[in-house]
Amino acid sequence: MLLRLYSRMAMLDVMSSTPFGVLADPARRRILDLLRDRPRLVGELTAAVGLSQPGTSKHLRVLREAGLVTVRPDGQRRWYELRPEPLAEIDEWLTPYRWMWSERFDALERHLDTMDDA
Amino acid sequence: MLLRLYSRMAMLDVMSSTPFGVLADPARRRILDLLRDRPRLVGELTAAVGLSQPGTSKHLRVLREAGLVTVRPDGQRRWYELRPEPLAEIDEWLTPYRWMWSERFDALERHLDTMDDA
DNA sequence: GTTGTTCATGCTCTTGCGGTTATATAGCCG
DNA sequence: CGGCTATATAACCGCAAGAGCATGAACAAC
């Protein structure tokens, strides 16, 4: 029972695994994309990602511990639903870069390069 | 032996994988953050990330192969500069999620939940 | 109860990452 | 030339991630 508590604490600890690492796996990105429409059962997700059911469950665990999905038990089945909040961290990291790949950036860069030459 | 070659090719293949995988490592994110200001030498980056010089070079290789940085040789030194274009892929993936963590989303969700109850 | 279904967990195996040290390569300087 | 500096590559190691398979746990249905 105490052991149970500890493993739960370890789980919470792993929660601090950043969303960047979570999104590194394409299967997990695919799962999130599917959950964007509506909550889904593990069986659905398993079929969609083309992995074994245990494999899918493992990815779902990672997503859960990162706070990217929540589970709603329904009898023997489990509805997984998206919880997008942790994605905000990625969005924030991306923010100072976002302006850079626009055409205006190219123009500005050329301008600055020209000034450097002078 | 041929097998070994194939596995090596697979390695390189994975190395040049998606920007998601590249950003999974905090050292690489840190490098990109530093390059946002200006191009930098390997030595600078090594000191900043607190890794060994070869370790830093390895991360730089990954970033290079993902197209996130370019190198400009200058004598025996190398200026690494940011090339943010590949980050657009992440930005695009994020797009359909971005509205979701706003307050308007919470309000809408509450509204929909209310409708479910009725 | 028994059987079937749905999902999670445990185990094992392999692979690849991220880190180190040692070495090679290339350019600078005296 | 020889020695110093800056960077890349090679060789190696530890470990965790990801996959499969087998099993367990919980619930449903009969």
Side-chain angles (χ1 to χ4, degrees):
Chain A
M1 166 186 0
L2 189 60
L3 204 86
R4 188 94 188 111
L5 174 63
Y6 281 160
S7 77
R8 177 133 196 92
M9 289 172 62
M11 268 182 46
L12 293 177
D13 208 27
V14 175
M15 268 238 237
S16 69
S17 122
T18 137
F20 293 96
V22 174
L23 289 196
D25 190 286
R28 289 194 289 259
R29 291 199 301 277
R30 177 122 174 78
I31 289 177
L32 292 179
D33 283 338
L34 288 165
L35 294 183
R36 212 155 21 88
D37 286 343
R38 53 179 175 81
R40 311 235 183 204
L41 297 172
V42 178
E44 283 183 80
L45 297 171
T46 296
V49 300
L51 289 181
S52 64
Q53 174 266 315
T56 306
S57 274
K58 190 182 152 199
H59 283 299
L60 287 172
R61 176 184 189 146
V62 175
L63 290 166
R64 237 186 300 134
E65 290 171 350
L68 276 162
V69 300
T70 56
V71 203
R72 188 163 48 84
D74 169 25
Q76 53 182 335
R77 298 175 300 175
R78 318 241 152 179
W79 292 99
Y80 276 86
E81 30 195 313
L82 180 62
R83 204 182 142 264
E85 281 80 358
L87 295 179
E89 182 179 340
I90 297 183
D91 194 57
E92 284 165 23
W93 184 88
L94 218 51
T95 297
Y97 296 88
R98 196 169 290 115
W99 67 280
M100 294 183 177
W101 56 80
S102 68
E103 312 81 43
R104 297 197 300 112
F105 170 62
D106 292 342
L108 174 58
E109 196 179 39
R110 276 193 301 274
H111 177 62
L112 291 177
D113 285 355
T114 305
M115 291 185 63
D116 281 351
D117 290 349
Chain B
M1 163 184 6
L2 188 61
L3 206 86
R4 188 95 189 110
L5 173 63
Y6 282 159
S7 80
R8 173 133 199 91
M9 290 170 61
M11 259 185 55
L12 292 178
D13 209 28
V14 169
M15 284 244 230
S16 65
S17 81
T18 94
F20 292 96
V22 175
L23 289 197
D25 190 283
R28 288 194 289 260
R29 291 199 300 276
R30 176 124 175 76
I31 290 177
L32 292 179
D33 283 338
L34 287 166
L35 294 182
R36 210 153 25 88
D37 286 344
R38 53 180 174 80
R40 311 236 182 203
L41 298 172
V42 178
E44 283 183 80
L45 298 171
T46 297
V49 300
L51 289 180
S52 65
Q53 173 266 314
T56 306
S57 274
K58 275 174 69 172
H59 282 301
L60 287 171
R61 176 183 187 149
V62 174
L63 289 166
R64 238 185 299 132
E65 289 171 350
L68 276 162
V69 299
T70 57
V71 203
R72 187 164 47 85
D74 168 26
Q76 53 183 338
R77 297 174 301 176
R78 315 245 154 169
W79 292 99
Y80 275 85
E81 31 195 313
L82 180 61
R83 206 184 139 263
E85 282 80 359
L87 295 179
E89 182 179 340
I90 297 183
D91 195 56
E92 284 164 23
W93 184 89
L94 218 50
T95 297
Y97 296 88
R98 196 170 291 115
W99 69 280
M100 293 184 177
W101 57 79
S102 70
E103 312 81 42
R104 297 197 300 111
F105 169 63
D106 292 341
L108 174 58
E109 197 179 37
R110 276 194 302 274
H111 177 61
L112 292 178
D113 285 355
T114 304
M115 291 185 64
D116 281 351
D117 289 349

